[in-house]
Amino acid sequence: MAFVRAKFIESGCRKTSDQIASLLQWHYGIEISGGGVRAAFKRHGISYKRITRMDKRAFTERVKLLTRMFLLRRVMLNADEGVWADEMIYSSEEVGSNYGWMTKGERACQIDDGRSSGPRVMFLAAMTKEGVMQGCTLPVPQPLTVTGHVFEQWCEFYVIPAMIAQGKTYIVLDNARVHRKNVLRVMFAAAGLRVYFLPPYSPWFQPIEKIFLSTHMKCNRQVEHVRANFVRRVIDVLEAHTPAECAGCLRATGWN
C-alpha cells in the first residue's frame, strides 16, 4: 500500500486497477488481479475513485499554494450560509434498468430501457446545507451547451434571488472556463454576495459533485426513468435529496 500511495495517490496519476496490478507485478512480483486491487483498497479504506480520477496537474507547486490559500479561507466560512453550484451532464441512454421481474413462464418486457441513442442534457444546479435549491435546476439539452452567458443569466435570474431569499452570503464554484471569474465576482458583489472559486483540479472540495453521483445512481435504479420524461425525472430526483444527505456531502468534502 505504501507503493500505491506514493505512486498513484501523491502523484495523482490516472490508472485503472488492471494497470496498477501490472505495475505491482513488475515492481514487486506480486500477482494480483484488478478486482483484488480494488478489494485491497477497500480493506485499507482507500477510495479507488480517488486514485483513478485525480489529475497530476493538481499537485504542481502553484496549485498546492492555491489550495492552501483556499483552505485558509474556507476555515472562516460558515457552511450554513453557503451555496455550491456546478453542472452535470446526463444522457437518456444511462436511464433505465437492466433488471426486472415477471410471473414465471411469462416473458418480461421493458418498453424503453434507455439503451438506444437519445439526447444528452446538461443540468445546472445549486445546493445548500438544507438541500438542493428548489426551482433553480436548469436543463440545457444538447446540441446547446452551457456558455458563460448562459451561466451568468442562470445566476442572475435563479441563483442570486434564491440566495437572497434564503439568507445565503456566498457561493462556491469550480474553475470551469464558463465560470468567468471577473464577471461573476462583480455580479454577485452587486447583490451583496461573495464568490469563492475552488483551486484548479480539485473536485473533491465540491459537495454537489456527490449529489450528482447520487442522482445518477438513484435514477439508474428506477425502471420508470425512461427517455420520454427523463429530464423531469432527473430534476425530481436531484431536488429530492434530503437535508441529511446534503449535510453528509458537506462533511465528506470538509465543509462541515
Side-chain angles (χ1 to χ4, degrees):
M1 297 310 299
F3 167 78
V4 173
R5 287 183 182 276
K7 184 71 176 177
F8 303 107
I9 298 181
E10 295 177 7
S11 64
C13 298
R14 293 172 180 249
K15 296 292 183 182
T16 65
S17 57
D18 291 332
Q19 290 172 331
I20 295 174
S22 298
L23 289 174
L24 288 173
Q25 184 175 5
W26 174 263
H27 286 273
Y28 293 98
I30 300 175
E31 295 186 3
I32 187 173
S33 65
V37 169
R38 292 192 293 271
F41 289 160
K42 185 176 181 179
R43 287 197 302 271
H44 286 78
I46 299 176
S47 170
Y48 174 68
K49 183 177 180 180
R50 180 183 175 211
I51 294 176
T52 57
R53 295 298 177 86
M54 295 177 84
D55 196 304
K56 62 183 179 182
R57 289 171 291 185
F59 297 88
T60 61
E61 291 303 320
R62 175 180 174 274
V63 175
K64 288 181 181 179
L65 176 61
L66 292 174
T67 302
R68 285 193 290 267
M69 295 170 58
F70 170 76
L71 292 175
L72 289 174
R73 289 196 302 268
R74 191 177 68 172
V75 171
M76 307 302 296
L77 297 178
N78 184 357
D80 294 333
E81 301 177 358
V83 173
W84 293 264
D86 205 355
E87 307 89 20
M88 170 187 72
I89 192 166
Y90 207 161
S91 173
S92 63
E93 298 176 6
E94 302 173 1
V95 181
S97 174
N98 296 328
Y99 304 95
W101 63 272
M102 181 54 65
T103 305
K104 184 177 181 180
E106 297 185 16
R107 181 179 179 181
C109 179
Q110 185 176 354
I111 296 176
D112 187 352
D113 63 2
R115 292 185 178 181
S116 58
S117 60
R120 294 169 65 88
V121 179
M122 183 79 76
F123 293 88
L124 293 171
M127 67 168 288
T128 65
K129 187 177 179 180
E130 294 78 28
V132 177
M133 300 180 78
Q134 304 293 312
C136 288
T137 304
L138 177 66
V140 182
Q142 291 188 344
L144 300 177
T145 187
V146 176
T147 63
H149 294 292
V150 172
F151 191 84
E152 289 151 16
Q153 291 189 20
W154 176 66
C155 290
E156 181 179 1
F157 295 106
Y158 291 89
V159 179
I160 291 178
M163 290 180 63
I164 295 174
Q166 298 181 25
K168 305 302 180 182
T169 60
Y170 68 90
I171 186 172
V172 180
L173 304 169
D174 60 23
N175 271 267
R177 184 174 296 180
V178 297
H179 303 161
R180 299 188 291 186
K181 295 184 178 181
N182 293 334
V183 176
L184 291 177
R185 285 194 180 104
V186 173
M187 180 183 299
F188 281 90
L193 306 171
R194 293 167 290 164
V195 183
Y196 294 96
F197 291 94
L198 298 177
Y201 314 109
S202 57
W204 48 87
F205 291 138
Q206 182 61 283
I208 197 171
E209 293 284 357
K210 297 187 179 298
I211 294 294
F212 290 156
L213 176 61
S214 172
T215 301
H216 276 265
M217 295 173 64
K218 289 181 178 180
C219 287
N220 289 346
R221 284 200 299 263
Q222 301 187 31
V223 179
E224 68 269 17
H225 288 248
V226 294
R227 285 196 305 273
N229 56 359
F230 92 98
V231 173
R232 182 69 261 168
R233 296 289 190 177
V234 170
I235 294 176
D236 290 342
V237 172
L238 180 64
E239 295 185 350
H241 283 86
T242 64
E245 291 175 316
C246 294
C249 292
L250 292 178
R251 286 193 300 271
T253 51
W255 285 93
N256 192 12

